[in-house]
Amino acid sequence: MSEDPRRALPSVDSLAARLGVRPEPHGMVTEAARRVLEGARTAAAAGQAPDPEALVRRLAAELDRGVTPSLRRVINASGVLLQTNLGRAPLGRKALEAMADVAAASNLEYDLESAGRGSRHEHVRELIRRTTGAADGIAVNNNAAALFMVLQAFCHGREVIVSRGQAVEIGGGFRIPDVLRQSGARLVEVGTTNRTYASDYAAAITPETAAILRVHASNFKVIGFTAEPSSAELAEVARRHGVRLFDDLGSGCLVNTEDYGLEHEQTVQESLAAGVDLALFSGDKLLGGPQAGIIAGDAGLVGELRRHPLARALRLDKFAIAALNATLLSYVFERQDTEVPLWRMLRASEVGLKRRAGRWAKAGGEGARAVPATTMVGGGSLPGQGAATWCTELRSPQGASDLAGCLRDQPVPVIGRIEREGVLLDPRTVDPSDDRSVAEAITNALSQLSR
C-alpha cells in the first residue's frame, strides 16, 4: 500500500521557516501557512503529491494578497466616461491638490476669525450658490442620501406625488419607492409609464400632500408616444396648491451639453429658474467632482436641512469638501474644459484619438488596429448618448476573455471591453499621461498569453 501523501506535508512552522524572513508579523505568516496547508491537505487526500517549492510560492503569494489593498488604481479604457464600477468621474488635478492640502490639519470645523467652533457645511455653501444661482446649498455624502434627507425632513408621514414613469430603479437595486417608504413618506403615483400631465399631479393633491417629486430617469430612456410636464409647469401646479416641488436631477449638470455634441440635459440653473423649491444632484457624475449629494434652492428649506440630525449622519468628510470646492471653482472661472477631466475628455478631437489608438495598436503587434467606435457617457447620465471615438482593437488566439483578463492582471490593471470577439481600448476615457502604461500593459499581456 502506497504511503498517504498527506504525511509528506510540512508542519506550519517548518513551512513558514522555509519562506525566509518576511516583513509581516509572525502571526500573519502562521495564519497564511495554515490556509496553504489546508488546501494542500485537500489536494493530497485526492492523491496529489505535495510539491514543497510550490507550497512556499503559494505561501508567499498568500501573504502578498493579505497586505495588498483591495482598492487599487486602474486605467479606465472601457469607453464609458462615468463608469460607476470604476469610481465614476475622474478627479482633476486641482481637486487632487486640494485634497492633499487638507490632509493634515485644516479649519474643517474651526472659525479662523472668531477662534471658535465652525461648521463644515459653510465651506461649500457659497460655491454652490455661485455656480447654481440658488439662494442656499448644502452637500451630503451622495444623491441618494440627499433625497432621503429631503423626504424625511419635509415629507415624513405625508404624501409625495411621483409620476409612474419616474418611480425608477437604478444601479444596485436602489428604488425610488423604497426610499420614500424608508423616509416615512407615502408614495402617490400618477399618470402612466409613458405619459403624465400636469393635470395628473394637480388632481392627486390632497390635504395630506407634502410635495411633488420629479425624478431623473437616470440609466434608461422612454421614447415614442411620451409626455411629461416641464419643471415650470410643475412649479405652477405646486404654487397653486401650496405644496413643495423637489427636483431630483440625478447627474447635476452645470453646462450646456449641446456644446459637447450631446442632447440637451436640463441644468441645475434651469431647474431652479423654473421655480423648484429644491434641486438635488450628484457630485461625481456630470459635475465631474467627488461623490456627494448636493441640495440647492430655497434658503429657508436648506437652513432646516443644515440643522437636521441627518446633516451630521450624512455629512461630507474634509477630502470630499476640498475636492468639491476645487471642482466648483473650475466652473466659477469657466475653466471646466481644461480642469474637469470629464469635459476635457469630451472635447478631445477624433484626429488625436485615432493617433493615440494607432500608437497603442503598434504595441499590440500583428492583428491590432485602430477602429471607429463610440464612447458612452455612462453613470446614469444622458442614457444612450455618447461621442464618436477611435479604439485599439486587440485579438489573441486564446480568445478575448483571456486577453481582457490578462490586461486586468497587470501591475496597473487596464479595463477594456469585449466586442466583436476582440478587446477594445478607448483612449477617450484614458488620460494621455497613462498612454505609456497602456502600451506596456498590451505588450505584457500578449506576451504572457503566447507563452
Side-chain angles (χ1 to χ4, degrees), residues 58-326:
R58 208 170 299 152
L59 176 55
E62 183 78 12
L63 285 167
D64 289 340
R65 276 195 297 273
V67 297
T68 301
S70 59
L71 182 63
R72 302 169 57 191
R73 183 176 97 86
V74 304
I75 295 174
N76 175 20
S78 69
V80 180
L81 288 162
L82 301 174
Q83 230 293 1
T84 298
N85 296 339
L86 303 182
R88 289 189 182 149
L91 293 178
R93 181 175 57 83
K94 296 281 188 183
L96 295 173
E97 289 174 351
M99 293 169 70
D101 197 42
V102 300
S106 69
N107 64 326
L108 179 64
E109 293 186 347
Y110 181 78
D111 188 316
L112 291 170
E113 187 173 334
S114 68
R117 185 178 178 87
S119 169
R120 70 179 65 205
H121 297 300
E122 291 299 318
H123 295 299
V124 298
R125 184 180 194 174
E126 184 57 32
L127 284 174
I128 292 174
R129 291 175 57 194
R130 189 175 294 275
T131 52
T132 66
D136 204 351
I138 186 174
V140 292
N141 59 20
N142 63 23
N143 197 40
L147 177 58
F148 178 81
M149 186 181 187
V150 166
L151 292 172
Q152 211 282 332
F154 303 120
C155 307
H156 186 83
R158 300 186 66 194
E159 296 173 349
V160 175
I161 302 173
V162 180
S163 167
R164 281 190 175 84
Q166 295 175 4
V168 298
E169 175 182 322
I170 59 176
F174 178 86
R175 294 182 171 187
I176 294 298
D178 293 341
V179 177
L180 266 83
R181 276 192 293 273
Q182 290 297 321
S183 72
R186 299 197 302 273
L187 170 65
V188 176
E189 292 184 278
V190 297
T192 62
T193 303
N194 61 321
R195 295 178 76 83
T196 305
Y197 303 95
S199 58
D200 294 323
Y201 290 91
I205 294 175
T206 73
E208 289 297 305
T209 302
I212 293 171
L213 174 63
R214 183 175 177 269
V215 182
H216 189 280
S218 185
N219 49 11
F220 81 99
K221 187 175 183 179
V222 179
I223 59 174
F225 190 61
T226 64
E228 66 176 46
S230 66
S231 296
E233 290 176 294
L234 288 179
E236 194 280 327
V237 171
R239 278 194 303 271
R240 181 157 33 96
H241 292 272
V243 300
R244 290 165 175 152
L245 174 60
F246 303 138
D247 196 355
D248 181 354
L249 291 162
S251 296
C253 193
L254 296 179
V255 297
N256 183 5
T257 50
E258 292 174 282
D259 292 342
Y260 299 84
L262 302 166
E263 293 178 14
H264 182 73
E265 174 82 356
Q266 183 178 20
T267 64
V268 180
Q269 300 94 310
E270 289 169 342
S271 174
L272 292 168
V276 307
D277 292 294
L278 293 175
L280 296 71
F281 55 99
S282 294
D284 57 349
K285 293 184 179 179
L286 293 180
L287 187 69
Q291 178 180 296
I294 302 166
I295 306 167
D298 180 83
L301 297 180
V302 173
E304 287 187 53
L305 292 174
R306 197 174 283 114
R307 295 186 295 272
H308 196 280
L310 282 175
R312 181 176 181 84
L314 303 175
R315 65 187 183 179
L316 293 180
D317 73 353
K318 61 183 179 181
F319 297 109
I321 290 172
L324 179 59
N325 279 345

